[in-house]
């Protein structure tokens, strides 16, 4: 099973700061999904990226798929306490998703 | 409201005592799946089902059983739980006919925290 490496593992920042989290694999994948999981809840899909070099924006969140389709990044501009949570990337593998280890983000007011 | 429900949300049990965690979805989804989430290991798939009476092993199926007798339900069975099955379990479902690029959007339940002593 090809694992997805996410970095950093933990991130604590002040409200208003910018941040980037990364998702990397040694193999090419056809698409990548980003989920956010809040405490006590299941993950919720944020976005899917499919094309190499693709950039998608979701309000203050910008998602990028690497040109070689081996990596992806999530950039948050002016982070808010409501952005706090566990960010997971997941790659499609035939009939299942393989998840990364996650980045736990804490945004302090 | 479209949702995936799991019961119980919390369970503390002893080694060897059979248990079942139920999962139900009201979205008429064909695909259902069980994951376990452990610190540092992320979400790992246990079993999945593409439709009624069709189930397949995921990455960590040992010690678990599933069944899919009805489209909406996908129970997870631990015949003889052991302490290494202490974990946070998630059920998820998706439509195989609505794909986001190459992947399915999976809808997750709220999770079941299981402790086996």
């Amino acid at each position: 099973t090809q694992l997805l490496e996410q970095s950093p593992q933990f991130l604590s920042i002040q409200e208003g700061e910018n941040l980037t989290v990364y998702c990397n694999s040694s193999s090419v994948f056809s698409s990548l999904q980003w989920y956010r999981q809040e405490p006590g809840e299941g993950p919720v899909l944020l976005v899917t990226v499919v094309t190499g070099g693709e950039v998608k924006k979701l309000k203050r969140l910008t998602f990028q798929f690497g040109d070689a389709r081996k990596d992806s990044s999530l950039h948050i501009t002016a982070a808010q306490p409501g952005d706090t949570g566990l960010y997971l990337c997941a790659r499609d593998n035939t009939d299942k998703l393989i998840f990364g280890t996650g980045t736990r983000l804490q945004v302090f007011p | 409201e479209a949702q995936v429900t799991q019961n119980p949300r919390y369970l503390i049990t002893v080694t060897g005592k059979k248990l079942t965690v139920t999962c139900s979805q009201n979205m008429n989804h064909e695909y259902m799946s069980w994951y376990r989430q452990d610190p540092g290991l992320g979400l790992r798939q246990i079993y999945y089902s593409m439709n009624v009476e069709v189930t397949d092993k995921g990455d960590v199926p040992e010690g678990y059983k599933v069944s899919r007798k009805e489209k909406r339900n996908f129970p997870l069975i631990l015949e003889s739980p052991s302490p290494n099955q202490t974990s946070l379990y998630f059920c998820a479902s998706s439509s195989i006919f609505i794909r986001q690029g190459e992947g399915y959007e999976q809808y997750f339940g709220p999770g079941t925290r299981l402790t086996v002593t």
Side-chain angles (χ1 to χ4, degrees):
Chain A
T1 300
Q2 294 291 331
L3 290 177
L4 293 173
E5 298 283 338
Q6 288 189 245
S7 61
Q9 208 173 346
F10 301 97
L11 193 54
S12 292
I13 60 172
Q14 292 293 128
E15 182 176 0
E17 291 184 31
N18 301 330
L19 67 112
T20 302
V21 299
Y22 300 92
C23 175
N24 295 288
S25 172
S26 58
S27 59
V28 175
F29 34 88
S30 58
S31 67
L32 190 107
Q33 299 182 357
W34 282 95
Y35 288 79
R36 179 169 64 207
Q37 183 180 7
E38 298 184 22
E41 298 181 12
V44 175
L45 181 69
L46 295 173
V47 78
T48 301
V49 286
V50 179
T51 307
E54 182 177 6
V55 176
K56 282 191 174 179
K57 288 182 185 283
L58 186 65
K59 296 183 182 177
R60 294 176 293 100
L61 277 61
T62 302
F63 304 85
Q64 184 156 8
F65 202 11
D67 290 339
R69 307 212 319 272
K70 290 184 177 182
D71 57 271
S72 181
S73 64
L74 158 58
H75 181 80
I76 301 180
T77 304
Q80 305 292 315
D83 295 326
T84 292
L86 178 67
Y87 289 81
L88 295 159
C89 61
R91 58 169 291 182
D92 184 33
N93 185 16
T94 314
D95 294 323
K96 55 187 181 179
L97 287 178
I98 296 173
F99 283 85
T101 48
T103 292
R104 192 167 295 280
L105 171 66
Q106 177 81 51
V107 182
F108 293 97
Chain B
E1 180 191 354
Q3 60 183 351
V4 178
T5 56
Q6 295 178 228
N7 282 293
R9 292 291 311 276
Y10 303 91
L11 179 60
I12 300 174
T13 189
V14 296
T15 298
K17 186 177 180 182
K18 180 179 178 180
L19 67 93
T20 299
V21 183
T22 64
C23 172
S24 183
Q25 51 93 5
N26 63 0
M27 295 169 278
N28 201 36
H29 284 165
E30 298 77 20
Y31 183 97
M32 296 186 75
S33 180
W34 276 103
Y35 296 88
R36 59 179 289 174
Q37 186 173 36
D38 302 289
L41 295 176
L43 277 160
R44 293 178 294 167
Q45 191 178 50
I46 303 171
Y47 269 95
Y48 66 98
S49 169
M50 294 293 286
N51 215 325
V52 175
E53 301 292 358
V54 180
T55 62
D56 276 296
K57 294 178 181 178
D59 296 316
V60 287
E62 293 76 24
Y64 304 95
K65 285 174 59 177
V66 292
S67 67
R68 188 90 183 273
K69 296 191 171 82
E70 305 165 283
K71 198 172 186 179
R72 64 183 292 125
N73 296 322
F74 191 44
L76 179 69
I77 303 155
L78 284 72
E79 294 270 3
S80 182
S82 62
N84 65 13
Q85 292 178 298
T86 292
S87 188
L88 180 58
Y89 290 86
F90 288 99
C91 180
S93 74
S94 66
S95 169
I96 62 173
F97 300 111
I98 301 174
R99 305 202 74 168
Q100 296 279 344
E102 294 296 318
Y104 307 127
E105 175 180 358
Q106 297 210 19
Y107 294 82
F108 284 82
T112 294
R113 187 165 291 282
L114 172 66
T115 302
V116 184
T117 60

